[in-house]
Amino acid sequence: MQALIQKTAKALVQARNAVALTGAGASIESGIPPFRGPGGLWERMDPMEVAHIDAFRRDPEKVWRLLIQGMQEVLTAASPNAGHRGLAQLEQWGYLQAVITQNVDGLHQAAGSRDVIEFHGSFAWQRCLDCDRRCETHRVDLSRIPPRCSCGGIYRPDCIFFGELIPPQLLERSHQLMARCDVLLVVGTSATVQPAAMMPLLAKETGARVIEINPEPTPLTGRISDFFLQGGAGAVMDDILASVAAMRASTV
Ligand code: OAD
C-alpha cells in the first residue's frame, strides 16, 4: 500500500491537469450515508419511488417526508472530513485542478475547494416547480412540507432527480476536463450511475492515470483504474498528503 501511496503522490506532483471525481463514499466519514452498500439509502427505499422526478411531481409531500427532509437534516449537521480537506489542500498547492462531485452536500467547498462541479446539483438551493425561482435552502420555511415559493409553487432541492438530465454546461465542462486530464482521482463512488460513471473511461481514453480510492472494488477496479488504493477516503488522503508534503519538502 505504501508503494501505491508514493506512486500516487508522485503522479500528482508531476501532473499538469489532475482532477478528482467523488461520490457518496467521500462523505461517509462526515456521517452522511451512501446510496448503495451497507447502510445505503437504497436498502431502505426504492429510488424510483422517492428519487425519480415523476415520483416527486406525483406526490411532492411524500418525497419531502420520506427522503428530502431527513437528508436535509443530515447534510446540515455534517462537516468536512480529512478526505475533503486533503483534496482542498491539493488544489491549494496547485496539484489538483478541479473536483467533479456527485454529492449534493457542499462539503468540498466547505473544506476549501474552489473549483467544484456539482454534477448532481446541490441541496443548498431550492427551485420552484412553477416559476423556476431559486432560493437558498436556509431562507426557505421548512416547517411547512412541502415548502412553497412566494408564487405558491412547490420547492424542490436544486439537485438532479432520476429521470432528469445533467445541465449541459456541467456536462460540457466535465468532458473538457476529462479531455485534458493526466491524473484522475476517483474517490468513494460505486461508478454505477451514468453519465458520471463515464468520466473515468473518458479520462482513460485521454491517456490519464486513473487512481481509485475506495474500501471496496468497483466496476472500474482492475479494468480502468491503474492503481486501487483500498481504504477509506480520509485515511488514504492523509497518507497521500503526507507523501506529497515530503516530496515538496525534499525539492525545496
Ligand atoms: P454509492 O452509494 O453508489 O457508492 C458509495 C461508494 O463509497 C461505494 O463504492 C463504497 O464502497 C464507497 N465507500 C464506502 N465507505 C467509504 C469511505 N470511507 N471512503 C471512500 N469510499 C467509501 O454512491 P455514488 O457512487 O456517489 O445520484 O452514487 C452515485 C449516485 O447514485 C448518487 O449521486 C445519487 C445516487 O443515486 C442521484 O441522486 C442522481
Side-chain angles (χ1 to χ4, degrees):
M1 183 70 168
Q2 195 47 38
L4 283 180
I5 297 280
Q6 291 258 331
K7 282 187 185 176
T8 300
K10 192 169 168 200
L12 284 166
V13 169
Q14 291 176 345
R16 298 168 70 92
N17 294 303
V19 176
L21 170 71
T22 68
S27 293
I28 286 180
E29 292 162 43
S30 294
I32 302 175
F35 297 96
R36 299 171 188 78
L41 275 184
W42 304 155
E43 254 181 6
R44 289 183 277 129
M45 306 175 203
D46 177 353
M48 291 306 120
E49 273 180 32
V50 293
H52 196 285
I53 187 60
D54 293 344
F56 187 84
R57 287 185 183 281
R58 249 192 328 270
D59 193 345
E61 180 175 345
K62 177 179 159 194
V63 172
W64 264 97
R65 288 197 190 284
L66 284 180
L67 178 72
I68 304 171
Q69 227 178 356
M71 257 179 93
Q72 195 76 60
E73 279 165 21
V74 172
L75 299 194
T76 305
S79 51
N81 64 56
H84 299 111
R85 288 192 295 273
L87 291 173
Q89 180 67 75
L90 287 174
E91 184 190 24
Q92 207 184 320
W93 280 338
Y95 301 132
L96 189 71
Q97 205 174 43
V99 177
I100 302 170
T101 187
Q102 297 163 83
N103 301 342
V104 294
D105 53 33
L107 292 181
H108 287 297
Q109 294 93 322
S113 286
R114 279 167 304 200
D115 195 349
V116 181
I117 297 160
E118 293 182 305
F119 205 73
H120 288 164
S122 166
F123 262 48
W125 291 83
Q126 302 292 323
R127 190 148 51 81
C128 175
L129 273 186
D130 286 355
C131 72
D132 217 36
R133 176 173 172 258
R134 284 173 88 236
C135 182
E136 283 176 282
T137 301
H138 68 89
R139 295 184 192 281
V140 170
D141 177 8
L142 295 178
S143 65
R144 182 175 172 199
I145 296 296
R148 288 183 183 270
C149 173
S150 51
C151 81
I154 289 171
Y155 272 132
R156 52 161 293 175
D158 198 11
C159 65
I160 304 294
F161 281 93
F162 283 107
E164 294 188 298
L165 296 174
I166 306 295
Q169 70 278 13
L170 298 187
L171 202 52
E172 196 182 320
R173 171 100 208 283
S174 304
H175 278 252
Q176 281 167 358
L177 285 168
M178 292 306 100
R180 281 189 284 118
C181 155
D182 46 9
V183 171
L184 180 67
L185 286 183
V186 183
V187 186
T189 176
S190 60
T192 48
V193 174
Q194 296 295 356
M198 272 300 287
M199 297 302 148
L201 280 72
L202 296 177
K204 189 81 179 175
E205 272 176 16
T206 304
R209 210 172 291 178
V210 177
I211 301 173
E212 204 182 359
I213 301 172
N214 199 311
E216 302 296 333
T218 74
L220 303 174
T221 315
R223 296 163 63 214
I224 302 296
S225 304
D226 294 281
F227 308 155
F228 177 54
L229 277 60
Q230 190 156 22
V236 174
M237 281 307 300
D238 273 350
D239 288 349
I240 293 172
L241 262 267
S243 192
V244 169
M247 284 175 195
R248 282 165 63 82
S250 70
T251 55
V252 180

